[in-house]
Amino acid sequence: MNDHPDLMALLRGELSNAHVTEVAVHLDHCEECRQDLAETAVGHALLTGTTRTLRPPAPRELPDVPPLDPPTSSLRGRAWLRPLGLVAAAAALVAGTALVTQMTDRPTAPRTTVAAPERTADLEPVDGNGSGRVLMAQDSHDGVQMTVETRDLPKIGRGQFYEAWLFNPKTQKMLALGVVGPGGKASFKVPDSLVGRYQVVDVSLERDDGDPGHSVTSVLRATYA
């Protein structure tokens, strides 16, 4: 494959067996795509594991995938199976537990004691009005407790919600953290390795349309590094 493959389609199981094989061979030679696959898998897992307050997600039925026939050459087979192992690991990450645990504010849930913030950053409006702040505190498990608090954002319409992201302005990469609750507050446990790869917290206005990507509307941003 001369072009970079569609990694999101790979994780969603939308590629044919032949295309999966081509992607596996491409990953064996492309360090950039292997890194993107890991980050894309994390982002997809976070978004899949997020509890949305609008409505429960519709059940999804995975398609039956016939077994892949390995190449006839044993030497080639070993080289072919190695990148496929990477694909399988990424799929397991999507299906398993997300690296970031979201705890949206719920009126009936008991309050959780949070460590005193070590860093704060002001959320400034990008589009429209609104403000807020980001509180970051180191927890005991090599991660950061990141709390997003928003104020004075416009009331969302039916089928809309606000979502928090990590953003790297230099690479233009974004990683979904999760939905900001109706009260304008959400907390996330983020591994140190991910916090260091990004410098900005972004809050976007999203539609409940099944698209996991960032919308065209960012409402708030805060630079924390």
Side-chain angles (χ1 to χ4, degrees):
M1 299 176 63
N2 294 326
D3 298 328
H4 295 294
D6 187 346
L7 298 179
M8 186 59 73
L10 173 69
L11 294 176
R12 288 175 174 174
E14 298 173 351
L15 301 182
S16 65
N17 287 352
H19 286 161
V20 170
T21 303
E22 292 179 5
V23 171
V25 173
H26 180 87
L27 289 173
D28 195 30
H29 301 284
C30 184
E31 174 65 27
E32 179 182 355
C33 282
R34 287 197 297 270
Q35 182 178 352
D36 286 346
L37 176 61
E39 293 186 3
T40 302
V42 170
H44 188 65
L46 297 179
L47 191 61
T48 302
T50 297
T51 302
R52 293 188 176 180
T53 58
L54 297 175
R55 60 176 176 80
R60 299 178 60 187
E61 183 176 352
L62 297 178
D64 294 331
V65 179
L68 295 174
D69 295 329
T72 56
S73 170
S74 59
L75 180 61
R76 176 59 180 163
R78 285 193 292 271
W80 176 76
L81 288 174
R82 180 157 50 91
L84 276 183
L86 180 61
V87 174
L93 177 61
V94 174
T97 303
L99 290 177
V100 177
T101 302
Q102 180 192 19
M103 298 177 295
T104 55
D105 54 329
R106 297 178 182 178
T108 59
R111 292 186 177 273
T112 303
T113 302
V114 179
E118 299 176 357
R119 284 185 288 174
T120 62
D122 292 331
L123 284 164
E124 302 290 344
V126 176
D127 184 17
N129 299 321
S131 62
R133 62 177 180 170
V134 178
L135 310 177
M136 302 174 65
Q138 194 74 29
D139 68 15
S140 58
H141 301 288
D142 296 328
V144 173
Q145 180 83 7
M146 184 176 290
T147 301
V148 177
E149 298 178 349
T150 65
R151 295 185 297 270
D152 302 325
L153 286 178
K155 184 178 180 180
I156 58 176
R158 183 176 181 181
Q160 293 180 319
F161 59 95
Y162 290 112
E163 186 166 11
W165 305 72
L166 294 180
F167 175 51
N168 185 325
K170 181 179 295 185
T171 64
Q172 294 296 302
K173 287 185 178 181
M174 307 195 81
L175 179 66
L177 291 175
V179 173
V180 178
K185 180 178 178 180
S187 294
F188 314 94
K189 289 183 179 179
V190 187
D192 287 331
S193 58
L194 289 180
V195 173
R197 293 181 184 177
Y198 299 86
Q199 298 79 38
V200 175
V201 173
D202 175 280
V203 178
S204 65
L205 177 62
E206 303 287 342
R207 289 188 174 275
D208 190 16
D209 54 7
D211 184 358
H214 190 285
S215 71
V216 297
T217 305
S218 290
V219 293
L220 297 174
R221 279 187 180 175
T223 300
Y224 63 83

